[in-house]
Amino acid sequence: MIAKAPEIEFRRVSKRFGAGPLVLDGLDLKVSPGEFICVIGPSGCGKTTFLRMVAGLSRPSGGEIRFDAQADGTRPELAFIFQDATLLPWLTVLGNIELPLRLRGEPRAERRATAARLTAEVGLGAVGDYHPRQLSGGMKMRVSLARALSLSPDVLLLDEPFGALDAITRNRLNEDLLALHRREGWTAFFVTHSVTEAVFLADRILVLAAEPARVETIIPVDLPRARTLALRESDEFHDAVAEATRRMHSVLAR
Amino acid sequence: MSPTGTWREYIGWPLLFGAGLLGLWYAVKGIFALPAYTLPAPHEVLGALFDQRTALARAALATAKGSLAGFSAAVGLGFALSLLIAAFRVLRIGLYPYVLFMQMVPIIATAAIIVTWLDAGLPSVAAIAFLIGFFPVVASTVAGLHSVPSEQVELFRLYKARPWQELFLLRVPSSLPYFFTGAKIAATLAVIGSVTGEIFAGSTARGGGLGFMILIYKSSVNTPGIFAATLLCCLLGFLFVGAVLLLKRFFLRKWHDSLDTDFNPL
Ligand SMILES: Nc1ncnc2c1ncn2[C@@H]1O[C@H](COP(=O)(O)OP(=O)(O)OP(=O)(O)O)[C@@H](O)[C@H]1O
Ligand SMILES: [Mg+2]
């Protein structure tokens, strides 16, 4: 099930809220289909705002975002994973995962089957009938991930999804996320505060600065695409993290 | 059961305090040498309850009917109006303020007006019980329908949910805890409203309820009878609220956390 991920082009995209300062100023970027972009930068620099504009939850104040060079603003299938899992507490794990399909009017039997498959894929097969209050933070994020994948999205937007989790859970989820990405081929925008996480996941890292509010730099990550937790032990990986950190600091300190 | 207590504590302490309050009651009566028509002793109240058991039972049933009819209408129509207010912006802006305003109308005033409109007896009693419960139900439910976390709303928008889907699959379930809070208030007020109505409509009521009995006992200076009837009003209110809490528990037990505080204040 390879998604028909679009090419996404940002043309001089800027954003300000009301009469406030510019949150984003003239962002130019071209993202290839299936690319994994991590977004990093200090708190308040506009990472969430950037994701919300891609999702269409917020409009750019200037410039435009084009999907497959279409100017009419039509969007591919997008899924948003919020910082907290945003599950509906009255639905079970399966009920939450099938929700997007239910909203699309998919017949009950089919959406149940899809939800059951996704539940197993994110490793929650045993807790399909649990309610969110019975789940740990990591399990909730897995449900959120499975729900996002239920519509076979073309683009996945993740806003610091694993920020509140412990390192072990986080690493495991990162590895699972990459495996899913390799298989399904969606384009990902992943906001994080961790350079290590960004290097592990990304094809390119977008560094945003707070003041002035512009794209400071784009750091390509030259690591093989098939990444596993073993890679994290390698010198190659440590070098890449050190290099990315150095470049990030040199631009943010300016 | 809260982990901080045992059943023994939860039964023992209330019994102990109950005994203390009864003792205080007897003490006040003894010290001031109060006669039964001023302050009957607890055993005199129980005596009146026993003597008047058929009349009081019939009255309690009548009050229960009026309360139940009014309460059911308040909850049903209140929920329906809340849905309309949530679905139509015009109603939310134009009508909802008046709902909030109507909550401030004193029961006594409502009763006085209703009794001049409707026949005395069940219809007017139920109407008063309805009016007093209706507005709190609408106020809480509408508040609940609009206090959905914005990220959940955005999630629905992102998935291109239709407005009715957003209402019934997101806002309604999310508002249920608020709805039950309103229903609990309505349950308490329904009994109070019925009794108030009966006191107003008392002179012409046939088969009158507890409020009517209170009027009768008052005219014959049967103070123990008034106490007994009042005791039954409280028990009836307790029963109503208990029923609402059981329903709430049944519907929300699986996913909502704040349930135990309803039964256990700790
Ligand atoms: N709805 C809004 N109205 C006004 N200002 C806003 C709004 N949303 C965000 N902002 C402002 O835009 C700036 C960027 O906010 P944003 O949430 O995108 O930051 P962020 O990079 O995601 O930060 P964090 O890492 O803390 O999540 C902030 O200065 C914030 O005050
Ligand atoms: Mg943010």
Side-chain angles (χ1 to χ4, degrees), chain A residues 52 80 84 89-90 103 133, chain B residues 151 154 165 253 255 257:
Chain A
R52 291 173 56 84
F80 205 116
D84 63 344
W90 55 88
L103 294 174
R133 66 193 289 219
Chain B
E151 289 191 339
E154 287 185 334
Q165 290 178 318
R253 170 177 39 117
W255 63 271
D257 292 321

Side-chain angles (χ1 to χ4, degrees), chain B residues 93-124:
Chain B
I93 299 172
L95 192 61
Y96 188 51
Y98 295 102
V99 171
L100 297 178
F101 183 77
M102 288 298 289
Q103 279 187 281
M104 309 300 166
V105 173
I107 317 170
I108 299 275
T110 325
I113 297 163
I114 293 289
V115 169
T116 65
W117 287 350
L118 295 178
D119 283 347
L122 187 65
S124 59

Side-chain angles (χ1 to χ4, degrees), chain A residues 52 55 57 77-80 82-84 86-90 99-100 102-105 131 133 147-148 151, chain B residues 151-152 154-162 165-166 169-171 173-174 252-259:
Chain A
R52 291 173 56 84
L57 292 170
E77 195 70 64
L78 289 150
F80 205 116
F82 296 92
Q83 182 159 9
D84 63 344
T86 326
L87 304 179
L88 303 186
W90 55 88
L99 178 72
R102 189 173 169 193
L103 294 174
R104 291 290 159 86
H131 282 78
R133 66 193 289 219
R147 178 179 64 188
L151 286 176
Chain B
E151 289 191 339
Q152 292 181 359
E154 287 185 334
L155 194 76
F156 269 60
R157 305 256 155 100
L158 212 59
Y159 289 132
K160 304 187 181 77
R162 305 186 180 288
Q165 290 178 318
E166 187 182 310
L169 297 181
L170 178 61
R171 293 189 185 275
S174 186
L252 306 186
R253 170 177 39 117
K254 289 225 174 85
W255 63 271
H256 198 252
D257 292 321
S258 75
L259 290 172

Side-chain angles (χ1 to χ4, degrees), chain A residues 48 83 159-160:
Chain A
T48 300
Q83 182 159 9
D159 193 358
E160 285 183 61

